[in-house]
């Protein structure tokens, strides 16, 4: 693969938004990273160019069969003014695992991490500084072969786009209400569940819309076979604090292995808390609530960070957790993770990589 990176700067820089007007994923910076792949040639033509639309062939394979993957990561403006990316190599390694599952060629993670830092440094003035804001990074790869047969594409395009963001959920750090999904399933063993591929999100939106109609922010997915075991929430992994122990569903092939999930487990263990990855049924969660041992529920994700859960609705049975308030462990994890990300606390796990 080529290690050259061509840079073309925009002649029309856009107006930057105010930090307090940021939602999620609606504003894009001035530049993007692009790289092409062709069988026999490998990844080539890596470039940073002005952000903008690109022309596509209507027969491009991703439009028909959905062969695509993506990632979601973040860069933060630290309190000392430096810009740092949270665990970029781990995210790009996961991207390669997703790629393998849908027959997309592997990327050189070192090269892409370097290109990403270059892109961020070009668009550095777009990195917001207000607490709770960050620069969301969306790398993605799509199959571009103009072909209607079903097989792996012979051509791909890799993009990285950047978006200054605030909170993902309008609730922010206030607790969200979650609908336990009993009608639809997201993934099954052997399927695509652990890959970050658009199909999983397409599978989730009808359920999320119906949950919203009922007044719930997101759905909690149960396993696709028995509809009994807890898997993950729409855009987050899920955690329970039961009897002072942190419990999360074990990765089983149909759950996305979240980076925030991993970071939360490492932090909680560092604090001396017991952390278990287990197969946990929704019934056990309800039992823990009934016997008073369910202390907290929270979701974790790059976009959402830590999102406390105030209540669950499982087939009409509603439970309220921690009197509907954000729990102490959720808040402590939020403070610690964001403290590391904004450079307020020591980066004990060496998660942050500086953009020069
Ligand atoms: C993320 O948390 O980064 C995600 O990718 C979830 C999402 C916004 C689709």
């Amino acid at each position: 693969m080529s290690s050259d990176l061509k840079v073309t700067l925009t002649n029309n820089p856009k107006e930057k938004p105010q930090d307090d007007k940021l939602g999620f994923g609606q504003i894009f910076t001035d530049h993007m990273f692009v790289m092409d792949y062709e069988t026999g040639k490998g990844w080539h033509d890596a470039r940073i160019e002005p952000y903008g639309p690109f022309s596509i062939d209507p027969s491009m394979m991703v439009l028909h069969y959905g062969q695509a993957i993506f990632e979601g990561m973040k860069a933060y403006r630290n309190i000392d003014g430096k810009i740092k990316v949270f665990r970029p190599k781990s995210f790009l390694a996961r991207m390669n695992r997703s790629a393998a599952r849908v027959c997309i060629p592997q990327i050189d993670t070192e090269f892409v991490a370097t290109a990403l830092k270059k892109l961020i440094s070009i668009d550095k003035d777009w990195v917001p500084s207000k607490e709770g804001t960050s620069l969301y990074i969306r790398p993605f790869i799509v199959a571009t072969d103009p072909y209607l047969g079903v097989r792996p594409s012979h051509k791909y395009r890799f993009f990285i786009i950047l978006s200054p963001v605030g909170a993902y959920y309008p609730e922010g750090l206030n607790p969200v209400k979650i609908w336990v999904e009993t009608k639809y399933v997201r993934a099954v063993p052997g399927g695509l569940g652990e890959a970050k591929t658009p199909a999983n999100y397409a599978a989730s939106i009808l359920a999320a819309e119906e949950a919203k109609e009922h007044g719930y922010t997101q759905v909690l997915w149960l396993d696709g076979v028995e509809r009994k075991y807890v898997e993950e929430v729409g855009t987050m992994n899920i955690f329970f604090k039961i009897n002072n122990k942190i419990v999360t569903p074990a990765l089983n092939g149909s759950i996305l292995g979240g980076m925030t999930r991993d970071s939360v487990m490492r932090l909680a263990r560092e604090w001396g808390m017991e952390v278990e990855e287990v197969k946990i049924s929704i019934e056990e969660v309800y039992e823990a609530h009934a016997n008073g041992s369910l202390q907290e529920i929270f979701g974790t994700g790059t976009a959402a960070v830590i999102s406390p859960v105030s209540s669950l609705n499982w087939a009409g049975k509603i439970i309220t957790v921690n009197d509907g308030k954000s729990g102490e462990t959720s808040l402590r994890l939020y403070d610690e993770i964001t403290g590391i990300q904004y450079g307020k606390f020591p980066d004990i796990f060496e998660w942050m990589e500086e953009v020069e």
Side-chain angles (χ1 to χ4, degrees):
M1 91 153 257
S2 150
S3 54
D4 296 341
L5 180 62
K6 190 175 163 220
V7 177
T8 312
L9 298 181
T10 182
N11 293 324
N12 298 304
K14 293 178 277 196
E15 201 178 316
K16 296 177 187 64
Q18 287 167 11
D19 283 9
D20 55 359
K21 298 259 170 4
L22 300 171
F24 181 85
Q26 300 162 71
I27 299 159
F28 301 96
T29 66
D30 282 328
H31 298 91
M32 62 183 177
F33 170 77
V34 187
M35 176 165 75
D36 290 309
Y37 178 92
E38 205 176 318
T39 304
K41 206 168 168 190
W43 286 109
H44 61 278
D45 209 5
R47 56 211 188 264
I48 290 173
E49 57 188 37
Y51 178 94
F54 69 109
S55 105
I56 54 167
D57 194 308
S59 62
M60 148 165 141
M61 288 183 82
V62 68
L63 299 179
H64 303 273
Y65 308 122
Q67 197 194 0
I69 52 168
F70 69 96
E71 267 308 328
M73 31 205 289
K74 278 179 174 173
Y76 299 82
R77 187 175 295 281
N78 278 201
I79 48 171
D80 61 3
K82 289 188 179 137
I83 297 169
K84 292 191 180 166
V85 188
F86 182 63
R87 306 188 66 180
K89 302 245 169 61
S90 310
F91 281 94
L92 294 172
R94 182 174 70 180
M95 192 166 194
N96 266 340
R97 293 195 293 278
S98 300
R101 179 61 183 84
V102 293
C103 297
I104 287 178
Q106 298 285 291
I107 52 164
D108 174 344
T109 54
E110 289 285 332
F111 173 74
V112 172
T114 306
L116 169 64
K117 288 184 196 163
K118 175 82 184 161
L119 175 66
I120 297 171
S121 78
I122 290 172
D123 279 343
K124 61 178 183 298
D125 293 345
W126 286 86
V127 184
S129 51
K130 187 172 176 276
E131 179 151 6
T133 66
S134 56
L135 186 73
Y136 188 75
I137 302 163
R138 172 54 61 88
F140 61 104
I141 301 177
V142 293
T144 51
D145 219 349
Y147 180 58
L148 294 186
V150 179
R151 57 141 172 83
S153 177
H154 296 158
K155 291 181 178 166
Y156 299 88
R157 187 161 285 180
F158 180 137
F159 295 87
I160 304 177
I161 56 174
L162 307 174
S163 174
V165 297
Y168 184 75
Y169 294 124
E171 287 93 337
L173 196 53
N174 293 320
V176 293
K177 289 166 66 187
I178 301 283
W179 178 264
V180 183
E181 185 54 57
T182 52
K183 187 155 114 191
Y184 306 108
V185 299
R186 171 186 175 272
V188 290
L192 294 173
E194 69 183 352
K196 209 157 172 65
T197 186
N200 287 326
Y201 297 82
S204 76
I205 52 184
L206 177 59
E209 283 304 289
E210 291 185 11
K212 247 181 242 156
E213 277 166 27
H214 291 107
Y216 289 78
T217 306
Q218 278 283 332
V219 303
L220 172 61
W221 295 104
L222 300 180
D223 75 280
V225 178
E226 295 181 73
R227 304 197 187 190
K228 193 170 160 186
Y229 297 99
V230 173
E231 297 230 311
E232 63 179 87
V233 178
T235 58
M236 305 188 288
N237 291 113
I238 187 89
F239 281 82
F240 304 95
K241 183 175 164 191
I242 300 174
N243 265 338
N244 292 322
K245 195 195 287 178
I246 302 294
V247 175
T248 193
L251 300 182
N252 58 359
S254 57
I255 296 174
L256 183 81
M259 269 345 128
T260 313
R261 173 185 183 275
D262 178 70
S263 309
V264 156
M265 290 195 296
R266 284 163 77 172
L267 270 176
R269 286 191 177 120
E270 179 71 21
W271 296 339
M273 293 183 84
E274 210 180 323
V275 178
E276 259 191 4
E277 293 174 83
V278 290
K279 191 167 176 175
I280 180 168
S281 68
I282 187 69
E283 220 164 321
E284 286 171 88
V285 173
Y286 271 64
E287 271 163 26
H289 179 263
N291 68 29
S293 59
L294 176 66
Q295 297 155 297
E296 286 180 49
I297 306 181
F298 56 91
T300 64
T302 298
V305 196
I306 305 286
S307 183
V309 173
S310 56
S311 66
L312 295 182
N313 183 336
W314 176 35
K317 289 171 278 182
I318 299 173
I319 56 172
T320 301
V321 192
N322 193 38
D323 294 326
K325 298 194 296 281
S326 304
E328 55 168 359
T329 304
S330 322
L331 294 175
R332 184 174 176 203
L333 283 164
Y334 177 86
D335 284 346
E336 187 72 29
I337 288 201
T338 57
I340 292 173
Q341 291 167 333
Y342 290 108
K344 288 184 205 156
F345 299 155
D347 179 16
I348 48 171
F349 300 103
E350 298 185 354
W351 283 332
M352 306 307 293
E353 284 198 28
E354 191 173 338
V355 171
E356 46 276 308

